[in-house]
Amino acid sequence: MRALWGIAHTKDPSKAKPWIDAYGTSGMYMTDECYIDSDGKVFRCKQDNTVHNATSYPTGWEEVSM
């Protein structure tokens, strides 16, 4: 059902959700959007159209201190 609804990432680190892989152009992370990894670390995207997480593309992300 993913094609029926767009994915909404948050820019609020306290509301970060687990990483979701992009599906085509749907779900790409944009500047300042956040996700939380399996270790509880929150990362903020540093550029638009990012499709790789902080482990795969560390220069595209910054860790957020909570």
Side-chain angles (χ1 to χ4, degrees):
M1 292 298 171
R2 196 167 161 175
L4 298 177
W5 296 280
I7 296 171
H9 303 299
T10 184
K11 292 184 177 184
D12 182 347
S14 68
K15 296 180 181 177
K17 300 174 213 160
W19 173 263
I20 298 174
D21 288 327
Y23 183 72
T25 58
S26 174
M28 288 192 268
Y29 286 78
M30 300 296 156
T31 303
D32 295 329
E33 292 182 337
C34 302
Y35 82 93
I36 189 167
D37 73 5
S38 59
D39 294 331
K41 294 179 185 175
V42 175
F43 292 93
R44 178 182 291 122
C45 191
K46 294 168 45 177
Q47 66 186 40
D48 287 343
N49 304 317
T50 300
V51 296
H52 301 289
N53 64 23
T55 301
S56 300
Y57 185 56
T59 59
W61 296 91
E62 62 186 2
E63 189 173 346
V64 177
S65 299
M66 297 295 290

